[in-house]
Amino acid sequence: MKKIFAALLAVFILFSLASCKKEKESYALTIEGTDISAEIYTYFLDRVMSRPQDYGLSEKASQKELRNAAIDDCKRYLYINTEFAEMGLTLSAAEKVAVSQEVNNIWIRSENHYDSIGVSKQTITKICTAEKYADAIFTKLYDKGTEDAASEE
């Protein structure tokens, strides 16, 4: 009897766990029909707030100016990811390793900060990967060794 009860309890627990809904990712904004996660937006907003002068803003920039600069970075992030996919580009194994190492270095230095603002290591990986995508797009468009390279003119 105890074995049957234990088996039924185990089945009940499994079904309970399986029926738990996965927490939905929250989105901060939608750009051209694509949802941008709150973590991506938070990352960019934090970057703008920490160095507004890098965005042509004064130290006393308004919240609206800071948010708009972060939204511009989100747009750039979306554009890079979209272009990379549309161009059919891929990252090499070495580039993927470089991204992983960069993320690990960032995380070692700044884990507490990113945890405190709600940005995960996975989001940092997405950001660093997009930066590597931007490099690949630039190389594809402007490297003289490629057949699609832009002319010097």
Side-chain angles (χ1 to χ4, degrees):
M1 186 70 160
K2 288 182 181 180
K3 289 181 182 179
I4 294 174
F5 179 73
L8 287 174
L9 183 61
V11 170
F12 175 75
I13 291 171
L14 286 175
F15 279 117
S16 296
L17 292 175
S19 66
C20 290
K21 293 182 180 176
K22 187 177 178 182
E23 187 177 316
K24 288 185 177 182
E25 184 174 8
S26 63
Y27 298 105
L29 53 126
T30 301
I31 299 171
E32 295 183 18
T34 302
D35 292 326
I36 302 296
S37 76
E39 283 191 43
I40 298 279
Y41 174 74
T42 300
Y43 172 85
F44 287 124
L45 182 60
D46 178 64
R47 197 160 80 172
V48 171
M49 290 174 67
S50 66
R51 299 199 41 96
Q53 63 276 15
D54 290 352
Y55 295 85
L57 301 172
S58 72
E59 291 289 328
K60 297 180 181 181
S62 71
Q63 289 296 317
K64 183 175 182 177
E65 290 172 316
L66 296 170
R67 284 192 305 269
N68 286 340
I71 290 169
D72 288 344
D73 271 0
C74 289
K75 289 177 183 177
R76 181 177 179 275
Y77 169 82
L78 177 61
Y79 174 78
I80 288 168
N81 282 287
T82 302
E83 281 299 304
F84 186 84
E86 287 179 0
M87 293 173 83
L89 299 175
T90 58
L91 294 180
S92 68
E95 290 170 318
K96 290 176 184 177
V97 167
V99 167
S100 178
Q101 290 172 338
E102 182 180 355
V103 169
N104 286 333
N105 289 337
I106 291 169
W107 199 249
I108 287 168
R109 287 188 322 267
S110 306
E111 177 182 2
N112 290 337
H113 172 70
Y114 287 123
D115 276 342
S116 72
I117 63 171
V119 174
S120 67
K121 188 175 182 181
Q122 181 181 7
T123 296
I124 301 297
T125 301
K126 289 176 185 179
I127 300 292
C128 291
T129 301
E131 290 170 3
K132 193 60 84 174
Y133 287 173
D135 293 344
I137 292 168
F138 183 85
T139 299
K140 175 75 173 172
L141 293 176
Y142 298 107
D143 186 13
K144 293 180 183 177
T146 61
E147 60 187 59
D148 293 337
S151 68
E152 288 185 32
E153 296 172 6

